[in-house]
Amino acid sequence: MSREPATASADPEKTTSRAQAIAEVAAYLVASGVAPDEAQEDSRALLRAAAGLTRLQLAMSPQAPLAEAEAERLSRYAARRAAREPVSRILGERGFWTLDLVIAPNVLDPRSDTETLVETTLALVEKRDAPLEILDLGCGSGAIICALLSELPRARGVAVDLSADACAATAENLARCGFATRARVVRGRWGESLSGPYDVIVSNPPYIRAGDIPALDPEVRLYDPALALDGGPDGLDCYRDLVADLPRLSKPDGLVAFEVGCDQAVSVAALFGDKGFGVARVGRDAGGHERVVAARPAPTRS
Ligand SMILES: C[S@@+](CC[C@H](N)C(=O)[O-])C[C@H]1O[C@@H](n2cnc3c(N)ncnc32)[C@H](O)[C@@H]1O
């Protein structure tokens, strides 16, 4: 078992500088299985939080001594990170798009990958100041609906999740971002209880193949809820459920955008096609992987 860092020194005469504490925590995290580049970044973030410092304050005085209370807080954070809890969960916060969101236990920690869904959707919205009705299916922390409302000033939203914890987190984040009066949160199964129609429908549903879940990183497997991950045997179960409601929920000139797993874009495009939707754009992440399929109802021939 890896040894805990000596940040909270037993010897009151011995002081540890911020830079030493960062190095000790990083070494402890690497010994606990965290990748070295992540361990460095994480130990800095944990130290900044433990000592209440901005990036600039830390950069200006890395040799300043760590106060005892700060060192104790850092040790507690480090032990949690060594148990592979993500930094965002330890600190209860994560930056997403331009927003600072609360991260709640038992609710998916939103990934930066999902910003590709926000970007792709916004790129296809023709008038950003239009009074659009947006539906976010499987809202989790509310990351997507909050990001869209932040960019579409006259839009209103409905955010749905089956998980009560996710609904509470979305409501909290909507309030935190100042959007509580522009969106409502509904607990339920996808679009089951809704009638619509909506201008924009977005979803980042669970899409991991059930058989792949045991091999996920501990940060995901141990801390993200199974309800947010498990896409069934081929990873596509939720897309099949979601597309079934689209003809009812989408306006004839509406837009639908789904985040997809790296190898799922073709299959999801086919599911859209089965319901009479044509692909409008495939969004790629920073690594060039196809991660979003956006579609519109195909015009009906008279
Ligand atoms: C991958 S997470 C995405 C969360 C959030 N939209 C994000 O991008 O961070 C999928 C979400 O779908 C929700 N979910 C799973 N099955 C559902 C269902 N049948 N109806 C509604 N929500 C569901 C989960 O609770 C989870 O919050």
Side-chain angles (χ1 to χ4, degrees), residues 96 106-111 114 117 136-145 160-164 166-167 170 186-191 202-207 225-230 238 241-242 259:
F96 181 87
N106 211 25
V107 177
L108 187 100
D109 180 0
R111 309 299 202 274
T114 301
L117 175 60
D136 178 0
L137 293 167
C139 53
S141 64
I144 302 167
I145 190 71
V160 178
D161 208 291
L162 193 54
S163 148
C167 289
T170 293
V186 176
R187 185 171 179 209
R189 256 172 224 286
W190 304 133
V202 284
S203 184
N204 171 22
Y207 54 68
L227 182 64
L229 301 176
D230 191 344
C238 297
D241 290 344
L242 285 163
E259 178 168 323

Side-chain angles (χ1 to χ4, degrees), residues 28-44:
Y28 171 52
L29 297 184
V30 171
S32 308
V34 178
D37 52 341
E38 244 180 83
Q40 270 297 333
E41 184 60 30
D42 290 357
S43 67
R44 284 180 174 279

